[in-house]
Amino acid sequence: MNKIGSKWSNREWDAYQESVSSLVVRDFLVQIRRNFRYKEDAPLIVGACLPYEQHEIPLHILLLQFMMQGWKTILIGASPAPGSIESLVKKLEPVIVVLSATTTIPFETDRNLLNSLDQFAVEHPQIDFYLGGTGALDYTKNKTLCAIDITNSFEETLIK
């Protein structure tokens, strides 16, 4: 994926080549996750891109790693509607919520997004919230959050 992204950003590939390649990888990961078997009583993790974020492949990979460790996973997916993450988390009550932003577009589009999600996490102390991705790391460099852990390695969440 890094090579594909580099070819696109260096203009060696057109946008359609990057898009088609990404869709093939995404569809492959979706198929693996769809056919993966887990115990019905497995703990639940919810993964979501932030609203306005389109890059969901890293979450597919991470959730597959969780599945291999015995977790049940649900992926909200790319660019969920504002409020969707909170609604689904309230309904499903997962053990962990993993949020992702590969770009800073979510934070630039909605300046209150991070504070709103952090406040939501404060109101749900029984759930561990994580935020990662290049865009999230860039945007949160000088920010302190109350209840969302910022991470550059979601593998940390597997250990906790």
Side-chain angles (χ1 to χ4, degrees):
M1 290 311 304
N2 287 334
K3 194 170 190 175
I4 290 168
S6 293
K7 286 181 176 278
W8 178 76
S9 66
N10 293 335
R11 298 176 193 220
E12 294 176 48
W13 277 15
D14 289 329
Y16 79 90
Q17 290 170 297
E18 184 271 338
S19 181
V20 169
S21 298
S22 294
L23 283 173
V24 168
V25 171
R26 180 198 167 279
D27 289 350
F28 176 72
L29 293 169
V30 166
Q31 188 64 27
I32 291 172
R33 289 187 57 246
R34 181 178 295 128
N35 292 317
F36 205 96
R37 300 289 172 235
Y38 53 84
K39 295 180 182 178
E40 281 303 313
D41 64 344
L44 177 64
I45 180 170
V46 170
C49 291
L50 293 182
Y52 317 105
E53 175 61 57
Q54 298 293 328
H55 299 87
E56 67 180 273
I57 290 175
L59 279 173
H60 281 285
I61 294 168
L62 176 68
L63 293 178
L64 185 56
Q65 290 174 320
F66 270 97
M67 292 173 89
M68 292 168 40
Q69 297 292 324
W71 290 76
K72 184 180 343 181
T73 67
I74 292 181
L75 176 64
I76 297 174
S79 193
S84 297
I85 295 168
E86 297 91 333
S87 294
L88 194 59
V89 168
K90 282 181 193 175
K91 181 177 175 116
L92 298 176
E93 300 180 354
V95 175
I96 295 175
V97 174
V98 178
L99 305 169
S100 178
T102 301
T103 67
T104 57
I105 293 170
F107 312 108
E108 294 162 359
T109 304
D110 181 350
R111 297 277 180 198
N112 193 42
L113 176 64
L114 188 56
N115 289 334
S116 176
L117 286 170
D118 194 38
Q119 182 56 45
F120 178 79
V122 165
E123 295 166 5
H124 296 84
Q126 74 282 10
I127 301 172
D128 292 327
F129 286 81
Y130 295 91
L131 172 62
T134 306
L137 294 173
D138 287 345
Y139 185 78
T140 59
K141 277 182 188 165
N142 300 315
K143 295 187 177 16
T144 303
L145 299 176
C146 297
I148 298 176
D149 290 321
I150 307 298
T151 181
N152 65 353
S153 170
F154 279 126
E155 284 73 21
E156 295 171 7
T157 62
L158 288 168
I159 297 169
K160 191 169 182 183

